[in-house]
Short mmCIF file of all heavy atoms in Angstrom, two decimals:
data_model
loop_
_atom_site.label_atom_id
_atom_site.label_comp_id
_atom_site.label_asym_id
_atom_site.label_seq_id
_atom_site.Cartn_x
_atom_site.Cartn_y
_atom_site.Cartn_z
N MET D 1 -52.80 -51.56 29.05
CA MET D 1 -52.92 -50.27 28.41
C MET D 1 -51.52 -50.18 27.50
O MET D 1 -50.45 -50.57 27.78
CB MET D 1 -52.72 -49.26 29.38
CG MET D 1 -53.89 -48.89 30.21
SD MET D 1 -55.15 -47.94 29.20
CE MET D 1 -56.49 -48.02 30.30
N ILE D 2 -51.67 -49.66 26.30
CA ILE D 2 -50.55 -49.41 25.39
C ILE D 2 -50.25 -47.96 25.37
O ILE D 2 -51.09 -47.10 25.16
CB ILE D 2 -51.04 -49.91 23.96
CG1 ILE D 2 -51.39 -51.43 24.02
CG2 ILE D 2 -49.85 -49.67 22.92
CD1 ILE D 2 -52.15 -51.81 22.77
N GLN D 3 -49.03 -47.63 25.65
CA GLN D 3 -48.61 -46.16 25.72
C GLN D 3 -48.48 -45.70 24.34
O GLN D 3 -48.05 -46.35 23.41
CB GLN D 3 -47.17 -46.22 26.32
CG GLN D 3 -46.70 -44.83 26.58
CD GLN D 3 -47.60 -44.10 27.69
OE1 GLN D 3 -47.95 -44.70 28.63
NE2 GLN D 3 -47.66 -42.86 27.62
N VAL D 4 -48.98 -44.43 24.10
CA VAL D 4 -48.80 -43.71 22.87
C VAL D 4 -47.60 -42.78 23.08
O VAL D 4 -47.58 -41.82 23.92
CB VAL D 4 -50.02 -42.85 22.60
CG1 VAL D 4 -49.92 -41.93 21.42
CG2 VAL D 4 -51.32 -43.72 22.55
N ARG D 5 -46.58 -43.00 22.21
CA ARG D 5 -45.32 -42.30 22.28
C ARG D 5 -45.45 -40.85 21.69
O ARG D 5 -44.81 -39.95 22.05
CB ARG D 5 -44.30 -43.00 21.68
CG ARG D 5 -43.86 -44.27 22.39
CD ARG D 5 -42.73 -45.05 21.83
NE ARG D 5 -42.29 -46.23 22.43
CZ ARG D 5 -41.13 -46.81 22.27
NH1 ARG D 5 -40.34 -46.32 21.40
NH2 ARG D 5 -40.99 -48.00 22.87
N GLU D 6 -46.14 -40.85 20.67
CA GLU D 6 -46.15 -39.57 19.83
C GLU D 6 -47.55 -39.60 18.96
O GLU D 6 -48.02 -40.53 18.59
CB GLU D 6 -45.02 -39.60 18.79
CG GLU D 6 -44.83 -38.38 17.83
CD GLU D 6 -43.66 -38.52 17.03
OE1 GLU D 6 -42.66 -39.18 17.38
OE2 GLU D 6 -43.76 -38.13 15.85
N THR D 7 -48.08 -38.30 18.72
CA THR D 7 -49.18 -38.13 17.88
C THR D 7 -48.89 -37.18 16.87
O THR D 7 -48.38 -36.08 17.13
CB THR D 7 -50.33 -37.62 18.85
OG1 THR D 7 -50.70 -38.57 19.90
CG2 THR D 7 -51.61 -37.58 17.96
N THR D 8 -49.18 -37.51 15.64
CA THR D 8 -49.05 -36.57 14.46
C THR D 8 -50.33 -36.38 13.78
O THR D 8 -51.16 -37.38 13.54
CB THR D 8 -47.96 -37.18 13.48
OG1 THR D 8 -46.76 -37.46 14.09
CG2 THR D 8 -47.78 -36.20 12.33
N GLN D 9 -50.72 -35.07 13.48
CA GLN D 9 -51.95 -34.76 12.87
C GLN D 9 -51.68 -34.72 11.34
O GLN D 9 -50.81 -33.95 10.88
CB GLN D 9 -52.44 -33.50 13.33
CG GLN D 9 -53.83 -33.12 12.82
CD GLN D 9 -54.52 -32.03 13.45
OE1 GLN D 9 -53.93 -31.30 14.30
NE2 GLN D 9 -55.69 -31.66 12.99
N LEU D 10 -52.40 -35.60 10.59
CA LEU D 10 -52.25 -35.73 9.06
C LEU D 10 -53.12 -34.71 8.36
O LEU D 10 -52.75 -34.01 7.46
CB LEU D 10 -52.63 -37.07 8.61
CG LEU D 10 -51.63 -38.30 9.03
CD1 LEU D 10 -52.11 -39.48 8.37
CD2 LEU D 10 -50.26 -37.94 8.69
N ASN D 11 -54.32 -34.55 8.98
CA ASN D 11 -55.33 -33.46 8.39
C ASN D 11 -56.33 -33.18 9.56
O ASN D 11 -56.06 -33.60 10.68
CB ASN D 11 -55.98 -33.89 7.08
CG ASN D 11 -56.83 -35.20 7.22
OD1 ASN D 11 -57.48 -35.21 8.14
ND2 ASN D 11 -56.71 -35.95 6.22
N ARG D 12 -57.30 -32.48 9.31
CA ARG D 12 -58.26 -31.92 10.27
C ARG D 12 -58.69 -33.02 11.20
O ARG D 12 -58.77 -32.91 12.41
CB ARG D 12 -59.37 -31.25 9.64
CG ARG D 12 -60.30 -30.60 10.52
CD ARG D 12 -61.25 -29.77 9.88
NE ARG D 12 -62.22 -29.25 10.72
CZ ARG D 12 -63.55 -29.05 10.38
NH1 ARG D 12 -64.03 -29.42 9.19
NH2 ARG D 12 -64.35 -28.62 11.32
N ASN D 13 -59.10 -34.13 10.65
CA ASN D 13 -59.68 -35.21 11.39
C ASN D 13 -58.91 -36.66 11.41
O ASN D 13 -59.51 -37.67 11.76
CB ASN D 13 -61.20 -35.52 11.07
CG ASN D 13 -62.01 -34.34 11.55
OD1 ASN D 13 -61.82 -33.76 12.66
ND2 ASN D 13 -62.97 -34.06 10.73
N THR D 14 -57.65 -36.61 11.02
CA THR D 14 -56.86 -37.88 11.05
C THR D 14 -55.62 -37.68 11.69
O THR D 14 -54.85 -36.78 11.52
CB THR D 14 -56.50 -38.20 9.49
OG1 THR D 14 -57.83 -38.33 8.79
CG2 THR D 14 -55.83 -39.49 9.48
N PHE D 15 -55.32 -38.56 12.69
CA PHE D 15 -54.11 -38.63 13.55
C PHE D 15 -53.51 -39.89 13.43
O PHE D 15 -54.07 -40.98 13.30
CB PHE D 15 -54.53 -38.31 14.92
CG PHE D 15 -55.14 -36.94 15.17
CD1 PHE D 15 -56.47 -36.71 14.94
CD2 PHE D 15 -54.37 -35.91 15.47
CE1 PHE D 15 -57.03 -35.47 15.17
CE2 PHE D 15 -54.84 -34.58 15.79
CZ PHE D 15 -56.32 -34.47 15.61
N VAL D 16 -52.21 -39.93 13.55
CA VAL D 16 -51.34 -41.10 13.56
C VAL D 16 -50.80 -41.23 15.12
O VAL D 16 -50.15 -40.27 15.63
CB VAL D 16 -50.15 -41.07 12.70
CG1 VAL D 16 -49.32 -42.33 12.81
CG2 VAL D 16 -50.54 -40.93 11.29
N LEU D 17 -51.16 -42.24 15.72
CA LEU D 17 -50.73 -42.49 17.07
C LEU D 17 -49.45 -43.47 16.90
O LEU D 17 -49.74 -44.65 16.51
CB LEU D 17 -51.81 -43.14 17.98
CG LEU D 17 -53.08 -42.39 18.04
CD1 LEU D 17 -54.04 -43.15 18.90
CD2 LEU D 17 -52.99 -41.03 18.54
N VAL D 18 -48.31 -43.16 17.40
CA VAL D 18 -47.15 -43.93 17.33
C VAL D 18 -47.22 -44.57 18.72
O VAL D 18 -46.94 -44.00 19.78
CB VAL D 18 -45.86 -43.20 17.10
CG1 VAL D 18 -44.66 -44.14 17.14
CG2 VAL D 18 -46.07 -42.38 15.82
N CYS D 19 -47.38 -45.93 18.80
CA CYS D 19 -47.69 -46.57 20.04
C CYS D 19 -46.55 -47.63 20.34
O CYS D 19 -45.80 -48.05 19.39
CB CYS D 19 -49.02 -47.47 19.97
SG CYS D 19 -50.40 -46.44 19.67
N ASP D 20 -46.41 -47.99 21.57
CA ASP D 20 -45.56 -49.16 21.93
C ASP D 20 -46.12 -50.42 21.08
O ASP D 20 -47.20 -50.48 20.80
CB ASP D 20 -45.51 -49.49 23.41
CG ASP D 20 -44.80 -48.46 24.24
OD1 ASP D 20 -44.02 -47.72 23.54
OD2 ASP D 20 -45.16 -48.36 25.31
N MET D 21 -45.10 -51.29 20.81
CA MET D 21 -45.50 -52.44 20.05
C MET D 21 -46.56 -53.39 20.82
O MET D 21 -46.54 -53.38 22.02
CB MET D 21 -44.29 -53.38 19.85
CG MET D 21 -44.42 -54.59 18.90
SD MET D 21 -45.19 -54.06 17.34
CE MET D 21 -43.74 -53.74 16.49
N PHE D 22 -47.49 -53.99 19.94
CA PHE D 22 -48.51 -54.80 20.49
C PHE D 22 -48.76 -55.87 19.42
O PHE D 22 -48.63 -55.63 18.22
CB PHE D 22 -49.80 -54.03 20.80
CG PHE D 22 -50.42 -53.15 19.68
CD1 PHE D 22 -51.20 -53.74 18.89
CD2 PHE D 22 -50.00 -51.89 19.69
CE1 PHE D 22 -51.72 -52.92 17.86
CE2 PHE D 22 -50.54 -51.06 18.56
CZ PHE D 22 -51.40 -51.53 17.68
N PRO D 23 -49.23 -57.05 19.81
CA PRO D 23 -49.51 -58.11 18.85
C PRO D 23 -50.83 -57.93 18.13
O PRO D 23 -51.68 -57.28 18.50
CB PRO D 23 -49.45 -59.34 19.73
CG PRO D 23 -49.84 -58.98 21.07
CD PRO D 23 -49.35 -57.49 21.14
N ASP D 24 -50.91 -58.57 16.93
CA ASP D 24 -52.12 -58.55 16.20
C ASP D 24 -53.35 -59.13 17.03
O ASP D 24 -54.51 -58.71 16.86
CB ASP D 24 -52.01 -59.31 15.03
CG ASP D 24 -51.17 -58.74 13.92
OD1 ASP D 24 -51.07 -57.35 13.99
OD2 ASP D 24 -50.61 -59.25 13.04
N ASP D 25 -53.08 -60.15 17.89
CA ASP D 25 -54.22 -60.79 18.52
C ASP D 25 -55.01 -60.02 19.59
O ASP D 25 -56.02 -60.33 20.07
CB ASP D 25 -53.85 -62.17 19.13
CG ASP D 25 -52.76 -62.03 20.21
OD1 ASP D 25 -52.12 -60.91 20.24
OD2 ASP D 25 -52.51 -63.01 20.87
N VAL D 26 -54.43 -58.82 19.91
CA VAL D 26 -55.13 -57.92 20.81
C VAL D 26 -56.03 -56.90 20.23
O VAL D 26 -56.82 -56.29 20.84
CB VAL D 26 -54.05 -57.16 21.91
CG1 VAL D 26 -53.27 -58.14 22.56
CG2 VAL D 26 -53.28 -56.20 21.10
N VAL D 27 -55.88 -56.74 18.79
CA VAL D 27 -56.58 -55.79 18.11
C VAL D 27 -58.12 -56.24 18.01
O VAL D 27 -58.41 -57.45 17.68
CB VAL D 27 -56.07 -55.60 16.74
CG1 VAL D 27 -56.85 -54.60 15.89
CG2 VAL D 27 -54.65 -55.18 16.78
N THR D 28 -59.03 -55.23 18.30
CA THR D 28 -60.48 -55.47 18.24
C THR D 28 -61.02 -54.27 17.53
O THR D 28 -60.28 -53.54 16.91
CB THR D 28 -61.07 -55.46 19.64
OG1 THR D 28 -60.85 -54.21 20.30
CG2 THR D 28 -60.56 -56.66 20.52
N LYS D 29 -62.32 -54.23 17.43
CA LYS D 29 -63.03 -53.14 16.75
C LYS D 29 -63.24 -51.90 17.46
O LYS D 29 -63.66 -50.91 16.91
CB LYS D 29 -64.46 -53.64 16.24
CG LYS D 29 -64.30 -54.83 15.26
CD LYS D 29 -65.63 -55.29 14.77
CE LYS D 29 -65.57 -56.41 13.82
NZ LYS D 29 -66.78 -56.79 13.23
N THR D 30 -62.83 -51.83 18.75
CA THR D 30 -63.01 -50.60 19.59
C THR D 30 -61.78 -50.35 20.34
O THR D 30 -61.02 -51.33 20.91
CB THR D 30 -64.24 -50.78 20.56
OG1 THR D 30 -65.35 -51.19 19.79
CG2 THR D 30 -64.48 -49.57 21.28
N ILE D 31 -61.38 -49.12 20.45
CA ILE D 31 -60.30 -48.69 21.21
C ILE D 31 -60.88 -47.68 22.39
O ILE D 31 -61.57 -46.95 22.19
CB ILE D 31 -59.25 -47.74 20.46
CG1 ILE D 31 -58.66 -48.56 19.36
CG2 ILE D 31 -58.17 -47.22 21.40
CD1 ILE D 31 -57.68 -47.70 18.53
N LYS D 32 -60.32 -48.12 23.56
CA LYS D 32 -60.57 -47.30 24.74
C LYS D 32 -59.38 -46.36 25.06
O LYS D 32 -58.31 -46.95 25.14
CB LYS D 32 -60.94 -48.17 25.93
CG LYS D 32 -61.31 -47.44 27.17
CD LYS D 32 -61.55 -48.42 28.33
CE LYS D 32 -61.48 -47.78 29.69
NZ LYS D 32 -61.60 -48.80 30.69
N THR D 33 -59.69 -45.05 25.11
CA THR D 33 -58.51 -44.09 25.34
C THR D 33 -58.75 -43.35 26.55
O THR D 33 -59.84 -43.37 27.14
CB THR D 33 -58.35 -43.17 24.17
OG1 THR D 33 -59.34 -42.22 24.17
CG2 THR D 33 -58.31 -43.98 22.81
N ASN D 34 -57.79 -42.49 26.94
CA ASN D 34 -58.01 -41.47 28.11
C ASN D 34 -59.09 -40.44 27.66
O ASN D 34 -59.49 -39.71 28.61
CB ASN D 34 -56.71 -40.93 28.45
CG ASN D 34 -55.98 -40.19 27.25
OD1 ASN D 34 -55.71 -40.87 26.30
ND2 ASN D 34 -55.75 -39.00 27.43
N LEU D 35 -59.34 -40.30 26.40
CA LEU D 35 -60.48 -39.36 25.98
C LEU D 35 -61.86 -40.03 25.70
O LEU D 35 -62.66 -39.31 25.37
CB LEU D 35 -59.82 -38.59 24.80
CG LEU D 35 -58.71 -37.83 24.94
CD1 LEU D 35 -58.25 -37.13 23.56
CD2 LEU D 35 -58.73 -36.83 26.03
N GLY D 36 -61.95 -41.35 25.77
CA GLY D 36 -63.10 -41.91 25.38
C GLY D 36 -62.89 -43.12 24.52
O GLY D 36 -61.70 -43.60 24.20
N THR D 37 -63.97 -43.66 23.99
CA THR D 37 -63.96 -44.79 23.05
C THR D 37 -63.88 -44.35 21.54
O THR D 37 -64.56 -43.45 21.22
CB THR D 37 -65.01 -45.80 23.26
OG1 THR D 37 -66.30 -45.14 23.14
CG2 THR D 37 -64.81 -46.57 24.49
N ILE D 38 -63.18 -45.05 20.79
CA ILE D 38 -63.02 -44.80 19.20
C ILE D 38 -63.35 -46.10 18.48
O ILE D 38 -62.79 -47.17 18.93
CB ILE D 38 -61.64 -44.26 18.92
CG1 ILE D 38 -61.37 -42.95 19.70
CG2 ILE D 38 -61.43 -43.96 17.48
CD1 ILE D 38 -60.01 -42.46 19.65
N CYS D 39 -64.09 -45.93 17.49
CA CYS D 39 -64.42 -47.17 16.61
C CYS D 39 -63.91 -46.98 15.23
O CYS D 39 -63.91 -47.91 14.45
CB CYS D 39 -65.79 -47.43 16.62
SG CYS D 39 -66.64 -47.85 18.23
N ASN D 40 -63.45 -45.72 14.90
CA ASN D 40 -63.02 -45.43 13.57
C ASN D 40 -61.53 -45.27 13.52
O ASN D 40 -60.88 -44.23 13.74
CB ASN D 40 -63.68 -44.16 13.12
CG ASN D 40 -63.57 -43.92 11.62
OD1 ASN D 40 -63.18 -44.79 10.86
ND2 ASN D 40 -63.99 -42.79 11.10
N PHE D 41 -60.88 -46.41 13.17
CA PHE D 41 -59.33 -46.47 13.25
C PHE D 41 -58.84 -47.58 12.34
O PHE D 41 -59.59 -48.47 11.99
CB PHE D 41 -58.92 -46.61 14.72
CG PHE D 41 -59.22 -47.96 15.31
CD1 PHE D 41 -58.33 -48.98 15.20
CD2 PHE D 41 -60.34 -48.13 15.97
CE1 PHE D 41 -58.63 -50.16 15.66
CE2 PHE D 41 -60.77 -49.30 16.46
CZ PHE D 41 -59.81 -50.42 16.40
N VAL D 42 -57.58 -47.54 11.97
CA VAL D 42 -56.86 -48.54 11.24
C VAL D 42 -55.59 -48.83 11.94
O VAL D 42 -54.80 -47.87 12.21
CB VAL D 42 -56.56 -47.99 9.80
CG1 VAL D 42 -55.79 -49.00 9.11
CG2 VAL D 42 -57.92 -47.72 9.14
N VAL D 43 -55.21 -50.14 12.13
CA VAL D 43 -53.99 -50.54 12.73
C VAL D 43 -53.04 -50.85 11.56
O VAL D 43 -53.34 -51.59 10.86
CB VAL D 43 -54.24 -51.70 13.68
CG1 VAL D 43 -52.76 -52.15 14.17
CG2 VAL D 43 -55.07 -51.35 14.86
N GLU D 44 -51.86 -50.21 11.56
CA GLU D 44 -50.90 -50.38 10.42
C GLU D 44 -50.08 -51.68 10.81
O GLU D 44 -49.79 -52.01 11.93
CB GLU D 44 -49.94 -49.20 10.28
CG GLU D 44 -50.65 -47.99 9.89
CD GLU D 44 -51.03 -48.00 8.47
OE1 GLU D 44 -50.24 -48.54 7.57
OE2 GLU D 44 -52.06 -47.47 8.10
N THR D 45 -49.55 -52.34 9.75
CA THR D 45 -48.70 -53.38 9.93
C THR D 45 -47.31 -52.99 10.26
O THR D 45 -46.75 -52.02 9.61
CB THR D 45 -48.58 -54.31 8.54
OG1 THR D 45 -49.85 -54.80 8.27
CG2 THR D 45 -47.74 -55.47 8.75
N PRO D 46 -46.66 -53.54 11.32
CA PRO D 46 -45.28 -53.01 11.61
C PRO D 46 -44.38 -53.29 10.43
O PRO D 46 -44.41 -54.29 9.80
CB PRO D 46 -44.92 -53.77 12.87
CG PRO D 46 -45.98 -54.84 12.94
CD PRO D 46 -47.05 -54.59 12.13
N LYS D 47 -43.43 -52.41 10.19
CA LYS D 47 -42.57 -52.46 9.17
C LYS D 47 -41.03 -52.88 9.79
O LYS D 47 -40.58 -52.03 10.59
CB LYS D 47 -42.40 -51.24 8.32
CG LYS D 47 -43.75 -50.96 7.67
CD LYS D 47 -43.82 -49.56 7.10
CE LYS D 47 -45.10 -49.20 6.49
NZ LYS D 47 -46.20 -49.06 7.44
N GLU D 48 -40.50 -53.90 9.33
CA GLU D 48 -39.12 -54.28 9.73
C GLU D 48 -38.21 -53.81 8.70
O GLU D 48 -38.38 -54.16 7.49
CB GLU D 48 -39.00 -55.78 9.91
CG GLU D 48 -39.90 -56.24 11.11
CD GLU D 48 -39.64 -57.76 11.39
OE1 GLU D 48 -38.42 -58.17 11.30
OE2 GLU D 48 -40.61 -58.39 11.80
N CYS D 49 -37.15 -53.22 9.12
CA CYS D 49 -36.10 -52.70 8.08
C CYS D 49 -34.73 -53.38 8.47
O CYS D 49 -34.35 -54.45 8.00
CB CYS D 49 -36.07 -51.22 8.10
SG CYS D 49 -34.97 -50.67 6.78
N PHE D 50 -34.05 -52.81 9.41
CA PHE D 50 -32.82 -53.31 9.93
C PHE D 50 -32.82 -53.82 11.29
O PHE D 50 -31.87 -54.63 11.68
CB PHE D 50 -31.70 -52.25 9.81
CG PHE D 50 -31.53 -51.65 8.52
CD1 PHE D 50 -31.94 -50.49 8.06
CD2 PHE D 50 -30.80 -52.55 7.50
CE1 PHE D 50 -31.77 -50.03 6.80
CE2 PHE D 50 -30.52 -52.00 6.31
CZ PHE D 50 -31.02 -50.81 5.87
N SER D 51 -34.00 -53.65 11.95
CA SER D 51 -34.11 -54.29 13.27
C SER D 51 -35.52 -54.55 13.53
O SER D 51 -36.45 -54.05 12.80
CB SER D 51 -33.45 -53.23 14.36
OG SER D 51 -34.30 -52.12 14.34
N VAL D 52 -35.83 -55.24 14.68
CA VAL D 52 -37.23 -55.55 15.12
C VAL D 52 -37.83 -54.27 15.48
O VAL D 52 -37.35 -53.32 16.24
CB VAL D 52 -37.12 -56.46 16.23
CG1 VAL D 52 -38.56 -56.71 16.73
CG2 VAL D 52 -36.42 -57.68 15.96
N PRO D 53 -39.12 -53.99 14.90
CA PRO D 53 -39.77 -52.66 15.18
C PRO D 53 -40.13 -52.61 16.73
O PRO D 53 -40.47 -53.60 17.37
CB PRO D 53 -41.02 -52.79 14.35
CG PRO D 53 -41.12 -54.07 13.98
CD PRO D 53 -39.82 -54.88 14.09
N LYS D 54 -40.11 -51.39 17.31
CA LYS D 54 -40.38 -51.11 18.69
C LYS D 54 -41.64 -50.31 18.79
O LYS D 54 -42.23 -50.16 19.93
CB LYS D 54 -39.35 -50.32 19.33
CG LYS D 54 -38.04 -51.18 19.41
CD LYS D 54 -36.83 -50.33 20.07
CE LYS D 54 -35.66 -51.41 20.20
NZ LYS D 54 -34.54 -50.92 19.62
N THR D 55 -42.26 -49.84 17.72
CA THR D 55 -43.47 -49.05 17.57
C THR D 55 -44.41 -49.54 16.60
O THR D 55 -44.01 -50.22 15.65
CB THR D 55 -43.22 -47.60 17.45
OG1 THR D 55 -42.60 -47.37 16.18
CG2 THR D 55 -42.35 -46.99 18.52
N ARG D 56 -45.74 -49.15 16.74
CA ARG D 56 -46.69 -49.54 15.70
C ARG D 56 -47.67 -48.37 15.66
O ARG D 56 -48.07 -47.72 16.65
CB ARG D 56 -47.40 -50.80 16.26
CG ARG D 56 -48.29 -51.34 15.21
CD ARG D 56 -48.56 -52.84 15.61
NE ARG D 56 -49.42 -53.33 14.43
CZ ARG D 56 -49.93 -54.60 14.45
NH1 ARG D 56 -49.78 -55.36 15.46
NH2 ARG D 56 -50.61 -54.94 13.35
N ASP D 57 -48.03 -48.10 14.38
CA ASP D 57 -48.91 -46.91 14.16
C ASP D 57 -50.34 -47.29 14.12
O ASP D 57 -50.73 -48.28 13.59
CB ASP D 57 -48.57 -46.31 12.76
CG ASP D 57 -47.15 -45.63 12.80
OD1 ASP D 57 -46.63 -45.47 13.92
OD2 ASP D 57 -46.64 -45.38 11.75
N VAL D 58 -51.15 -46.49 14.69
CA VAL D 58 -52.67 -46.53 14.62
C VAL D 58 -53.10 -45.28 14.13
O VAL D 58 -52.95 -44.25 14.54
CB VAL D 58 -53.24 -46.91 16.02
CG1 VAL D 58 -54.73 -46.90 15.95
CG2 VAL D 58 -52.66 -48.12 16.68
N LEU D 59 -53.90 -45.32 12.95
CA LEU D 59 -54.58 -44.09 12.39
C LEU D 59 -55.81 -43.96 12.92
O LEU D 59 -56.72 -44.93 12.86
CB LEU D 59 -54.58 -44.31 10.90
CG LEU D 59 -53.47 -43.81 9.95
CD1 LEU D 59 -52.31 -44.77 10.23
CD2 LEU D 59 -53.83 -43.67 8.56
N VAL D 60 -56.21 -42.86 13.57
CA VAL D 60 -57.44 -42.60 14.22
C VAL D 60 -58.06 -41.43 13.52
O VAL D 60 -57.52 -40.41 13.12
CB VAL D 60 -57.17 -42.23 15.75
CG1 VAL D 60 -58.48 -42.37 16.42
CG2 VAL D 60 -56.05 -43.06 16.35
N TYR D 61 -59.42 -41.58 13.23
CA TYR D 61 -60.29 -40.52 12.61
C TYR D 61 -61.25 -39.99 13.62
O TYR D 61 -61.99 -40.66 14.18
CB TYR D 61 -60.95 -41.24 11.39
CG TYR D 61 -60.01 -41.94 10.46
CD1 TYR D 61 -60.05 -43.37 10.55
CD2 TYR D 61 -59.27 -41.26 9.55
CE1 TYR D 61 -59.06 -44.03 9.72
CE2 TYR D 61 -58.45 -41.92 8.77
CZ TYR D 61 -58.37 -43.32 8.79
OH TYR D 61 -57.44 -43.97 7.90
N GLY D 62 -61.00 -38.67 13.74
CA GLY D 62 -61.99 -37.89 14.72
C GLY D 62 -61.37 -36.70 15.19
O GLY D 62 -60.09 -36.65 15.07
N PRO D 63 -62.18 -35.72 15.62
CA PRO D 63 -61.62 -34.53 16.21
C PRO D 63 -60.94 -34.70 17.60
O PRO D 63 -61.27 -35.75 18.38
CB PRO D 63 -62.72 -33.55 16.30
CG PRO D 63 -63.92 -34.49 16.50
CD PRO D 63 -63.53 -35.76 15.72
N GLU D 64 -60.01 -33.95 17.86
CA GLU D 64 -59.44 -33.81 19.26
C GLU D 64 -58.71 -35.18 19.77
O GLU D 64 -58.77 -35.54 20.88
CB GLU D 64 -60.48 -33.45 20.25
CG GLU D 64 -61.07 -32.15 20.04
CD GLU D 64 -60.10 -30.98 20.04
OE1 GLU D 64 -59.02 -30.95 20.74
OE2 GLU D 64 -60.22 -30.09 19.21
N CYS D 65 -58.05 -35.90 18.85
CA CYS D 65 -57.30 -37.10 19.18
C CYS D 65 -55.85 -36.81 19.43
O CYS D 65 -55.11 -37.70 19.82
CB CYS D 65 -57.38 -38.06 17.99
SG CYS D 65 -59.05 -38.63 17.66
N LYS D 66 -55.44 -35.57 19.37
CA LYS D 66 -54.09 -35.08 19.69
C LYS D 66 -53.57 -35.39 21.18
O LYS D 66 -52.42 -35.66 21.40
CB LYS D 66 -53.98 -33.74 19.30
CG LYS D 66 -52.54 -33.32 19.04
CD LYS D 66 -52.39 -31.97 18.51
CE LYS D 66 -50.91 -31.73 17.96
NZ LYS D 66 -50.89 -30.55 17.13
N LYS D 67 -54.53 -35.49 22.06
CA LYS D 67 -54.19 -35.54 23.53
C LYS D 67 -54.30 -37.01 23.97
O LYS D 67 -54.29 -37.20 25.14
CB LYS D 67 -55.01 -34.65 24.35
CG LYS D 67 -54.70 -33.15 23.97
CD LYS D 67 -55.47 -32.22 24.81
CE LYS D 67 -55.24 -30.81 24.51
NZ LYS D 67 -56.10 -29.84 25.13
N ILE D 68 -54.41 -37.98 23.13
CA ILE D 68 -54.56 -39.34 23.51
C ILE D 68 -53.13 -39.79 24.06
O ILE D 68 -52.11 -39.60 23.41
CB ILE D 68 -54.89 -40.25 22.36
CG1 ILE D 68 -56.34 -40.06 22.01
CG2 ILE D 68 -54.88 -41.71 22.78
CD1 ILE D 68 -56.91 -40.75 20.82
N THR D 69 -53.05 -40.41 25.26
CA THR D 69 -51.67 -40.82 25.85
C THR D 69 -51.67 -42.21 25.96
O THR D 69 -50.57 -42.79 26.18
CB THR D 69 -51.63 -40.13 27.28
OG1 THR D 69 -52.72 -40.54 28.03
CG2 THR D 69 -51.57 -38.66 27.19
N HIS D 70 -52.67 -42.96 25.91
CA HIS D 70 -52.74 -44.46 25.97
C HIS D 70 -53.90 -45.00 25.34
O HIS D 70 -55.01 -44.35 25.30
CB HIS D 70 -52.54 -44.92 27.43
CG HIS D 70 -53.74 -44.53 28.37
ND1 HIS D 70 -53.61 -43.41 29.03
CD2 HIS D 70 -54.75 -45.10 28.71
CE1 HIS D 70 -54.69 -43.28 29.69
NE2 HIS D 70 -55.54 -44.27 29.56
N ILE D 71 -53.83 -46.28 24.90
CA ILE D 71 -55.06 -46.99 24.19
C ILE D 71 -55.16 -48.38 24.80
O ILE D 71 -54.09 -48.86 25.37
CB ILE D 71 -55.00 -47.08 22.73
CG1 ILE D 71 -53.68 -47.80 22.25
CG2 ILE D 71 -54.78 -45.60 22.13
CD1 ILE D 71 -53.58 -48.08 20.80
N GLU D 72 -56.31 -48.89 24.59
CA GLU D 72 -56.62 -50.22 25.14
C GLU D 72 -57.69 -50.81 24.12
O GLU D 72 -58.70 -50.22 23.96
CB GLU D 72 -57.05 -50.36 26.63
CG GLU D 72 -57.39 -51.71 27.02
CD GLU D 72 -57.92 -51.69 28.48
OE1 GLU D 72 -58.00 -50.64 29.09
OE2 GLU D 72 -58.08 -52.78 29.01
N PHE D 73 -57.38 -51.95 23.52
CA PHE D 73 -58.49 -52.53 22.65
C PHE D 73 -59.38 -53.37 23.55
O PHE D 73 -59.01 -54.08 24.46
CB PHE D 73 -57.79 -53.61 21.64
CG PHE D 73 -56.90 -52.91 20.68
CD1 PHE D 73 -55.53 -52.73 20.78
CD2 PHE D 73 -57.36 -52.25 19.51
CE1 PHE D 73 -54.77 -52.18 20.05
CE2 PHE D 73 -56.59 -51.63 18.55
CZ PHE D 73 -55.27 -51.53 18.84
N VAL D 74 -60.66 -52.94 23.46
CA VAL D 74 -61.77 -53.61 24.12
C VAL D 74 -62.83 -54.22 23.27
O VAL D 74 -62.95 -53.93 22.02
CB VAL D 74 -62.51 -52.58 25.11
CG1 VAL D 74 -61.49 -52.15 26.16
CG2 VAL D 74 -63.00 -51.41 24.33
#
């Protein structure tokens, strides 16, 4: 399970999940969350600036994604 540290709502049906870091090779087409499964999402590329990134963003599309606390790629 990947911990979701923070959730930000961009608009009515778009949320940014700020997650603990995870590698590209675990990403699949489906996410299992504490609220159910999600297939409509985009995984952002981590951005390095002055240090190694500790979080990675996942954009999720759908209602009621604000209460997601963890994700798992299945």
Side-chain angles (χ1 to χ4, degrees):
M1 293 274 174
I2 300 166
Q3 186 69 32
V4 176
R5 295 184 180 195
E6 181 181 326
T7 303
T8 304
Q9 188 169 0
L10 296 180
N11 61 39
R12 187 172 172 214
N13 287 322
T14 305
F15 295 84
V16 177
L17 307 179
V18 180
C19 303
D20 287 339
M21 186 53 88
F22 55 87
D24 287 336
D25 63 350
V26 300
V27 177
T28 61
K29 294 182 180 185
T30 306
I31 294 175
K32 180 178 161 186
T33 74
N34 55 300
L35 299 179
T37 52
I38 299 173
C39 296
N40 196 6
F41 65 92
V42 175
V43 176
E44 295 289 319
T45 304
K47 296 168 183 69
E48 294 186 37
C49 189
F50 296 106
S51 64
V52 177
K54 294 182 175 120
T55 61
R56 192 161 185 186
D57 295 343
V58 178
L59 273 68
V60 198
Y61 306 100
E64 301 302 320
C65 294
K66 197 170 198 168
K67 296 180 182 178
I68 294 175
T69 58
H70 59 273
I71 64 172
E72 180 181 4
F73 292 97
V74 293

